[in-house]
Amino acid sequence: MELKHLAIRELVKENEDAPARITDRGGIIPTTEPIANQLFDTLNAAFSRRSSLTHGSFNNENEEGYPFISAFESFVSSDWNEESFTTLTDKSMTQLAAAINNPSAHTAHGGYVLFALYASDRYEYLLIALVRDKASIGFDNDLHPTEVMEVNLDQLHQGARINISTFKKKQDSYLSFIGSKEKGEITHYFSNAFGCTDVTPSRKSTGELIRAARDFCNQNNMTDRKEEVVEDVVSYLERQRTEKESANLHDIENLFDAYIPPEQAETAAGTFGSFANKGPYNVSQEFQPHTSTINRFAKLKVKSDNWSLDFTKRNLGDLNAGKDIEFDEDNGRIIINRLPSKVVNQLREALEQEES
């Protein structure tokens, strides 16, 4: 990874009733300093470890309401020098102060805001994170224990990362931001300040979840049960949709753990959520199942000139598979087993009408 620019700023909010203010402390940190790269490595690792990232894009329908979006677009089209990076951090801090001063976020606290522009593999990123200090124990010159304050880089309170390369190509899901299990606007002030309000479309998260499920099975010695696993994932999505509930990667991870072979448990158990949450799938930690996408995986509709069949895929199998619908490819037939008595009566009545 190549760290191109690094800046640290401070946002102070003494108590719930006090307004947030931007201090004069901080600014650009030379990337030639070894400590700068060490700080960035720790920060980036902390962000990458998060398994509850939400993915999405800017709210382009309301750019006026999110000035950071236009500031970021101006920066992307600039030379990316120290001056343009400073301008971006200044505007970012102004937006963050405005967001934290919103009445709905009055219980939120300030902290140190870190801005890192870096390149990794074929992509370029902007990472913005909020960290705070923590009390620790140190020694003075006489080796007397004393309390010292240090920055807790391992604990990110808020964070957002923009894949600049993907953004420039106008692709989906170039934003990743730290989600929260808590309810309320306070948990969203950081992402809202940067226009991270338009989460990945449910259609994309639903489809990518299925793709991630298949790839995870292929990579973890579960190929023979892949279709069974996918069927369970689709069934879970159908239940959540029917009950008007969100799908959650934690629930699906538990579903996967029941299928993982014992010899794979130590390395694979409890990892599907992180696997699907990161690239290339970028499935949001929580999302609304997309109806037509579920149906594409769950149902199959086949038709000829004179007839059509509409059924769930879990009921389809090869000849003699014991499924309700069997496909006899050699003879070009579809066999429907275990017809309900109601259907039998309907078919009989139809034939009797033809004969009369």
Side-chain angles (χ1 to χ4, degrees), residues 29 54 64 117 219 308:
I29 307 298
T54 299
E64 293 183 0
L117 180 71
Q219 295 177 28
S308 66

Side-chain angles (χ1 to χ4, degrees), residues 9-15 18-23 25 93 97 100-101 109-112:
R9 304 293 299 275
E10 184 180 35
L11 185 67
V12 174
K13 192 168 186 282
E14 280 88 1
N15 54 61
R21 57 185 178 83
I22 305 166
T23 72
R25 300 171 64 191
M93 292 300 293
I100 204 172
N101 281 329
H109 302 286
Y112 305 105

Side-chain angles (χ1 to χ4, degrees), residues 259-278:
Y259 283 98
I260 293 175
E263 63 273 16
Q264 300 286 114
E266 186 173 345
T267 56
T271 63
F272 178 75
S274 177
F275 178 85
N277 189 233
K278 296 178 180 178

Side-chain angles (χ1 to χ4, degrees), residues 337-349:
N337 300 310
R338 294 181 287 277
L339 290 176
S341 55
K342 179 180 178 180
V343 174
V344 171
N345 292 334
Q346 288 177 325
L347 294 174
R348 182 185 300 112
E349 289 176 2

